[in-house]
């Protein structure tokens, strides 16, 4: 294991969506069932809150507002296009206790997702979605193959993905807001064993932009350095966390 400040705690941003995905798949619900697409959710501290479409990176679930959508489709948009609305719809299905169980089962020690995206009343009450790089590695390692495979379709091929040779297979989820840039991935080199890498950054480099972000370029450089040492990483499994 290669690590540096692996247990530093960060605001989770959209990396928490991986835990929601795992909870949804483990809940035994029919993922082909259609659910109402609404924009009103129960806060973790009571009352309700809503998402701001201007803060969402995925417009497609918003086009179904007032209608219905299959849970499987919402779960996919949650992790491939980082939809905030789809995340809260999936979280409403699983409940926070199921997400907490995902973190517990992974062996997380500094991470948790007690509230939904943009649940500002809960945030004001001190409930924060938190992660560490080590726990993100643990989370990916705990996923069933079919759940991990969904992360291979991440449309945001920046940060860690940008540090790899074009066409490299990886399963990843990133998260970004102003001051935050994280990503965790399982990388599958064609000439070496797979390895897991998680990089979490909190600081002024993170512009909050999807792609044009100095912090994303920093994570890409870290990813490239780990790739260069892929043949000498400890096995099994080779894990890099920063």
């Amino acid at each position: 294991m290669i690590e540096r400040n692996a247990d530093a705690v960060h605001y989770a941003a959209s990396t928490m969506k991986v835990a929601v995905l795992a909870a949804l798949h483990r809940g035994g619900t029919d993922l082909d069932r259609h659910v109402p697409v609404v924009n009103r959710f129960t806060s973790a501290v009571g009352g309700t809150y809503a998402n701001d479409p201007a803060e969402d990176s995925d417009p497609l679930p918003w086009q179904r507002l007032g209608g219905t959508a299959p849970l499987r489709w919402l779960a996919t948009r949650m992790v491939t296009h980082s939809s905030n609305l789809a995340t809260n719809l999936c979280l409403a299905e699983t409940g926070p206790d199921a997400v907490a169980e995902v973190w517990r089962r992974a062996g997380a020690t500094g991470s948790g997702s007690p509230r939904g995206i943009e649940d500002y009343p809960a945030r004001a009450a001190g409930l924060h979605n938190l992660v560490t790089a080590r726990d993100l590695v643990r989370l990916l390692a705990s996923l069933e193959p079919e759940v991990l495979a969904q992360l291979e379709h991440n449309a945001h091929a920046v940060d860690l993905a940008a540090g790899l040779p074009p066409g490299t297979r990886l399963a990843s989820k990133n998260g970004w807001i102003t001051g935050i840039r994280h990503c965790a991935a399982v990388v599958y080199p064609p000439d070496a064993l797979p390895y897991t890498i998680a990089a979490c950054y909190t600081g002024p480099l993170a512009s909050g932009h999807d792609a044009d972000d100095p912090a994303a370029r920093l994570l890409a450089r870290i990813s490239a350095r780990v790739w260069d040492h892929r043949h000498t990483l400890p096995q099994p499994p080779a894990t890099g966390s920063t």
Side-chain angles (χ1 to χ4, degrees), residues 2 165 187-195 223-235 238-239:
I2 303 167
V187 181
Y188 302 92
D191 58 351
L193 291 175
Y195 62 88
S223 181
R225 290 289 299 275
V226 175
W227 174 267
D228 288 343
H229 292 84
R230 65 192 181 280
H231 297 296
T232 58
L233 292 172
Q235 299 288 346
T239 299

Side-chain angles (χ1 to χ4, degrees), residues 8-20 43-45 49 51 78 84 87-88 91 95-97 99-100 103 108 110-133 135-136 139 175-177 180 182 200 202:
V9 178
H10 304 262
Y11 174 66
S14 290
T15 59
M16 57 83 69
K17 296 171 182 177
V18 178
V20 178
S43 171
V45 294
Y49 70 99
N51 287 126
M78 172 175 65
N84 291 340
T87 300
N88 284 340
L91 182 59
D97 290 345
V99 178
W103 285 114
S111 302
S113 311
R115 62 171 177 84
I117 303 290
E118 297 179 68
D119 184 353
Y120 296 131
R123 186 179 71 175
L127 292 181
H128 302 291
N129 295 330
L130 303 174
V131 293
T132 71
D135 286 344
L136 285 173
L139 178 60
W176 64 93
I177 57 173
I180 297 289
H182 310 323
C200 297
T202 300

Side-chain angles (χ1 to χ4, degrees), residues 146-178:
E146 63 273 17
V147 178
L148 185 63
Q150 293 194 50
L151 303 183
E152 293 190 37
H153 304 287
N154 185 353
H156 300 280
V158 293
D159 44 60
L160 295 183
L164 302 173
T168 300
R169 178 187 169 202
L170 78 161
S172 69
K173 183 69 192 83
N174 29 30
W176 64 93
I177 57 173
T178 302

Side-chain angles (χ1 to χ4, degrees), residues 21-210:
L21 178 69
L24 187 64
H25 276 261
R26 294 171 187 172
T29 189
D30 179 7
L31 296 181
D32 294 316
R33 178 167 57 87
H34 283 241
V35 297
V37 178
V38 299
N39 187 25
R40 183 63 57 182
F41 305 100
T42 301
S43 171
V45 294
T48 62
Y49 70 99
N51 287 126
D52 180 355
E55 296 296 322
D56 204 328
S57 60
D58 185 8
L60 289 192
W62 292 94
Q63 295 175 11
R64 300 200 181 196
L65 194 64
T68 66
L71 277 168
R72 189 183 308 278
W73 183 81
L74 292 169
T76 298
R77 302 303 297 189
M78 172 175 65
V79 294
T80 62
H81 291 73
S82 210
S83 168
N84 291 340
L85 182 62
T87 300
N88 284 340
L89 290 166
C90 291
L91 182 59
E93 182 69 27
T94 67
D97 290 345
V99 178
E101 174 60 18
V102 168
W103 285 114
R104 187 205 65 78
R105 179 172 166 180
T109 58
S111 302
S113 311
R115 62 171 177 84
I117 303 290
E118 297 179 68
D119 184 353
Y120 296 131
R123 186 179 71 175
L127 292 181
H128 302 291
N129 295 330
L130 303 174
V131 293
T132 71
R134 191 189 306 278
D135 286 344
L136 285 173
V137 168
R138 289 167 169 162
L139 178 60
L140 292 187
S142 75
L143 298 180
E144 296 80 3
E146 63 273 17
V147 178
L148 185 63
Q150 293 194 50
L151 303 183
E152 293 190 37
H153 304 287
N154 185 353
H156 300 280
V158 293
D159 44 60
L160 295 183
L164 302 173
T168 300
R169 178 187 169 202
L170 78 161
S172 69
K173 183 69 192 83
N174 29 30
W176 64 93
I177 57 173
T178 302
I180 297 289
R181 170 64 68 166
H182 310 323
C183 190
V186 178
V187 181
Y188 302 92
D191 58 351
L193 291 175
Y195 62 88
T196 307
I197 175 171
C200 297
Y201 172 84
T202 300
L205 284 179
S207 67
H209 298 142
D210 173 12

